[in-house]
Amino acid sequence: MQNLTRSKNLKTLISSGLTIAPGVYDGMSSLLANKANFKAIYASGGAIARSTGRPDIGLLSLTEVVQRVREIVAVSNVPVIADADTGFGNELNVQRTVHEFENAGVAAIHIEDQTFPKRCGHLNNKTLIATEEMCKKILVASKSRTQEDFLIIARTDAIAVEGFSAAIDRAKAYAEVGADMIFVEAPESVAQVEQIAQQISKPKLINMFYGGKTPLIPASDLAAMGYRVAIIPSDLQRATIHAVEKTLNAIAKKGDSSEIADQLATFNAREVIVRTKAYFEDIKTMVGDGK
């Protein structure tokens, strides 16, 4: 599926109701999300950073993130929404960021109004750039895309820094200069989630994950409020951490993982997920049986 088709598909999903997009961070997690029949997936910048052994504080470069996103897109048959952090710099950097993510095949990116280096949206002590500067970034992003269906999502982290009213004001300003969708990060109550939905007319994205600052709200309620995308950024990675730790403990205890064998994917199941047999069959079709 080419990027143009992916972007159009995402637009169709957004127009038809709420889409749940689980956060992936590599090719395997992308394959598993597709296997689970999700209609879209989210390339989580935080999860990608942590998969390299580093925290989500802006330590990875644009090229490092885009390389991982390419791997995610390459094995996905659904639209990918990607985390583009702060755009990796000023307006000039934002222009390149849009081009790199477009070329990677994603359907949409979100850019946030934190200073660089950024912090995870649910960490404390965040700082923001001026509203005017962020508006310039969004304007450049919207004008730099080469595909009109490629979506620019504007994220504001202002609730924790400047307060809820300021966050709404920023969101409206970003919508006015060309953002296709608005992402107000880390609302702290159901009432705030409702007010965002009521006060922002553009399509809205919300971050829903267990243990964050935002209360968990049923998907049906979010849809009724008017939200169009709910990302679940870190749950897959957090589940992986728990599973790996459990397996390592079993290996350390006995020297192998037989104690928890019933909790491991089988050798064959793993090969099915990564399409080992299909790769060989594809090559055989191309070159024949060798006779």
Side-chain angles (χ1 to χ4, degrees):
M1 184 190 302
Q2 296 187 358
N3 188 28
L4 184 62
T5 305
R6 294 176 192 266
S7 297
K8 284 185 175 179
N9 285 353
L10 181 59
K11 276 187 150 181
T12 299
L13 289 172
I14 289 170
S15 66
S16 62
L18 179 72
T19 296
I20 306 294
V24 303
Y25 51 91
D26 62 6
M28 176 66 82
S29 55
S30 179
L31 283 170
L32 290 170
N34 277 255
K35 184 173 180 286
N37 294 319
F38 283 92
K39 302 300 183 184
I41 57 177
Y42 173 61
S44 166
I48 290 171
R50 297 182 197 102
S51 74
T52 72
R54 297 174 176 88
D56 181 21
I57 54 174
L59 296 176
L60 298 190
S61 67
L62 167 63
T63 52
E64 287 175 303
V65 173
V66 168
Q67 177 54 42
R68 183 65 65 82
V69 170
R70 286 184 186 277
E71 296 168 6
I72 290 168
V73 171
V75 296
S76 177
N77 57 18
V78 300
V80 177
I81 301 166
D83 181 354
D85 285 349
T86 62
F88 298 92
N90 62 21
E91 297 97 308
L92 290 172
N93 302 95
V94 167
Q95 183 181 55
R96 184 189 173 201
T97 294
V98 170
H99 292 162
E100 293 289 344
F101 277 95
E102 267 193 324
N103 290 336
V106 304
I109 59 171
H110 69 71
I111 300 173
E112 64 202 58
D113 56 8
Q114 289 193 51
T115 56
F116 184 83
K118 52 76 59 81
R119 291 172 180 259
C120 167
H122 288 247
L123 290 177
N124 296 322
N125 301 316
K126 296 180 288 186
T127 55
L128 307 180
I129 61 175
T131 301
E132 294 76 14
E133 183 179 353
M134 180 63 175
C135 284
K136 289 178 182 178
K137 285 188 175 186
I138 296 301
L139 184 61
V140 168
S142 63
K143 289 181 176 295
S144 296
R145 56 189 164 189
T146 61
Q147 301 163 26
E148 64 178 357
D149 291 317
F150 182 83
L151 299 181
I152 304 298
I153 304 167
R155 166 178 150 178
T156 179
D157 286 70
I159 290 178
V161 182
E162 299 174 344
F164 184 76
S165 294
I168 294 295
D169 290 342
R170 280 179 173 261
K172 290 180 177 178
Y174 304 160
E176 287 177 3
V177 295
D180 302 297
M181 177 174 279
I182 297 297
F183 174 12
V184 180
E185 173 66 304
E188 298 178 353
S189 66
V190 174
Q192 286 188 350
V193 173
E194 291 174 337
Q195 289 178 57
I196 292 166
Q198 292 165 3
Q199 297 187 49
I200 304 300
S201 58
K202 284 285 183 78
K204 291 162 285 290
L205 178 152
I206 190 166
N207 184 352
M208 279 277 118
F209 72 95
Y210 180 75
K213 292 185 175 182
T214 304
L216 295 181
I217 299 172
S220 57
D221 292 350
L222 291 173
M225 291 179 199
Y227 285 91
R228 289 295 174 256
V229 175
I231 57 172
I232 321 291
S234 61
D235 289 18
L236 299 186
Q237 189 169 63
R238 291 161 69 190
T240 300
I241 290 169
H242 181 73
V244 170
E245 286 181 336
K246 190 170 186 177
T247 306
L248 289 170
N249 288 336
I251 292 171
K253 178 181 176 181
K254 191 176 177 181
D256 60 57
S257 60
S258 58
E259 186 176 90
I260 58 166
D262 61 334
Q263 299 175 48
L264 305 180
T266 66
F267 180 94
N268 287 335
R270 181 193 64 192
E271 299 308 303
V272 169
I273 291 168
V274 296
R275 299 180 62 247
T276 301
K277 182 178 179 181
Y279 274 92
F280 285 116
E281 289 177 346
D282 288 345
I283 294 300
K284 186 176 180 181
T285 300
M286 293 177 192
V287 303
D289 58 10
K291 295 180 180 179

